[in-house]
Amino acid sequence: MVRSPKPSTSYTSASTSYGYEDYTTTSRPRTRPGTGRPSTARPKTGASTIARAESQHVVCAVAESRGISPTVGLAFVNLDTGEAVLCQINDSQTYVRTIHKVKVYGPSEILIVATASSPKSKLFSIIEENLEDIDSKITLLDRRYWDDSTGYEYIQTLAFKEDVEAIKISVQGNYYAICCIAAALKYIELGFGVQFSYHSLRMRYEPSEGSMMIDVSTIYSLELVQNLQDAKSKDCLFGLLNETLTAMGARLLRNNILQPLTDREVLNTRYLAVEELATKEEMFFTTRAGLLSVTASYV
């Protein structure tokens, strides 16, 4: 990943040539006096307690079809770990699966096609309502950047060479996911002056099937990723399990806790891998040493 000279900041307005803008919201004013009843809501911590334990910069792009059962495309690009995840969800009118997915990945910025803001689409309004909990902001991006042919080109040129064909097969028919990766990478290129080198981006397609969705209240009450009494404490499931050596590994563990796999074939493959590492001590320590060297090279 290389940083090219940042272009002129004149494009940060929607009316200019690049066509995107920051969309900020303010808290809704209180409309009735307090009743003296103590609050039962979970305390605000100032950050998305579900997803962003590490201060990583993740850009998310969201696009949807219109219909009774909307199809939503998503792409998440992590600038710190150099990885990208594409997914497409057949959601309900409440967009519960989409919001859950966004909260799991905890993006610092959410890109939405500019036309969805005027008038506001239902998805736009629901994301807007959840911004404080996600600890993110909305950025509007001109429709011309949501181009599937550009998305395919990015997959062909930026994904690891050995992964390109598998990803292209996985995303077939997932038009909105491909448009989202195009928008996210173009925004990163123009907005931050960051360009990924050829075949340097760890890219994968994550199907919406094959995993369990845990509602937010359950995540908090079971202390899956955060202690209820002390947000900085490691006394939670994630804190107890996290013996990872890389930021990417920690994020993968967190995602697996928040959306557990249900695909038997994938689970059995992982069980076999764990069994092999657990029974072959030399392989285990060699693998950890290799990960430590990778971590050290990025420090």
Side-chain angles (χ1 to χ4, degrees):
M1 182 173 68
V2 296
R3 290 185 179 272
S4 57
K6 191 170 182 178
S8 167
T9 56
S10 62
Y11 60 72
T12 56
S13 167
S15 61
T16 55
S17 59
Y18 288 98
Y20 71 84
E21 62 177 338
D22 288 343
Y23 181 90
T24 57
T25 59
T26 56
S27 300
R28 182 179 297 177
R30 193 181 182 98
T31 56
R32 65 176 184 176
T35 60
R37 181 180 176 182
S39 172
T40 56
R42 62 179 178 82
K44 297 293 183 183
T45 61
S48 174
T49 55
I50 293 182
R52 211 176 324 146
E54 315 86 4
S55 56
Q56 296 181 0
H57 191 176
V58 179
V59 173
C60 168
V62 183
E64 65 167 326
S65 68
R66 299 297 175 89
I68 297 175
S69 298
T71 299
V72 182
L74 294 146
F76 302 91
V77 181
N78 190 319
L79 277 73
D80 295 293
T81 62
E83 60 180 328
V85 177
L86 296 80
C87 53
Q88 187 160 300
I89 300 170
N90 294 319
D91 216 338
S92 65
Q93 287 291 316
T94 59
Y95 295 96
V96 62
R97 296 184 68 85
T98 298
I99 296 301
H100 179 265
K101 181 73 74 174
V102 172
K103 287 183 176 181
V104 165
Y105 280 92
S108 46
E109 196 163 358
I110 301 173
L111 310 178
I112 300 179
V113 64
T115 53
S117 67
S118 183
K120 291 182 182 179
S121 69
K122 189 171 183 179
L123 176 58
F124 185 99
S125 298
I126 291 174
I127 291 175
E128 188 179 41
E129 290 170 4
N130 285 272
L131 276 181
E132 184 179 359
D133 200 35
I134 301 169
D135 188 30
S136 186
K137 68 175 182 177
I138 291 175
T139 299
L140 303 178
L141 197 62
D142 193 272
R143 180 173 290 279
R144 66 180 178 272
Y145 296 118
W146 307 77
D147 179 62
D148 63 322
S149 60
T150 302
Y152 274 116
E153 184 179 343
Y154 277 133
I155 292 171
Q156 183 69 45
T157 57
L158 297 184
F160 289 174
K161 281 186 178 181
E162 60 270 24
D163 296 337
V164 169
E165 292 306 317
I167 295 170
K168 287 167 68 175
I169 292 172
S170 298
V171 300
Q172 282 182 358
N174 295 301
Y175 170 81
Y176 296 99
I178 300 167
C179 290
C180 285
I181 194 63
L185 290 171
K186 182 60 70 174
Y187 175 74
I188 289 169
E189 181 181 325
L190 298 178
F192 301 110
V194 173
Q195 292 181 318
F196 291 95
S197 303
Y198 286 116
H199 303 300
S200 66
L201 187 62
R202 182 181 297 277
M203 195 179 294
R204 62 188 172 88
Y205 178 78
E206 185 174 273
S208 57
E209 303 81 13
S211 63
M212 182 190 303
M213 188 181 72
I214 305 176
D215 65 89
V216 175
S217 60
T218 301
I219 290 171
Y220 288 119
S221 61
L222 294 181
E223 298 183 306
L224 295 184
V225 293
Q226 185 186 56
N227 184 278
L228 286 175
Q229 303 301 320
D230 182 1
K232 296 182 179 180
S233 172
K234 292 186 177 181
D235 292 335
C236 61
L237 181 60
F238 173 73
L240 294 173
L241 294 178
N242 187 19
E243 296 291 339
T244 59
L245 299 176
T246 65
M248 190 179 295
R251 195 169 186 87
L252 179 60
L253 173 62
R254 178 177 289 269
N255 289 352
N256 284 331
I257 290 174
L258 294 176
Q259 46 182 14
L261 289 172
T262 58
D263 188 303
R264 179 176 296 181
E265 184 177 346
V266 176
L267 286 171
N268 285 334
T269 301
R270 290 192 176 186
Y271 294 152
L272 290 173
V274 170
E275 182 182 14
E276 188 167 11
L277 287 171
T279 55
K280 297 181 179 179
E281 188 174 292
E282 184 178 352
M283 178 187 291
F284 173 78
F285 286 109
T286 300
T287 302
R288 283 186 67 86
L291 289 172
L292 279 171
S293 65
V294 170
T295 304
S297 66
Y298 282 94
V299 175

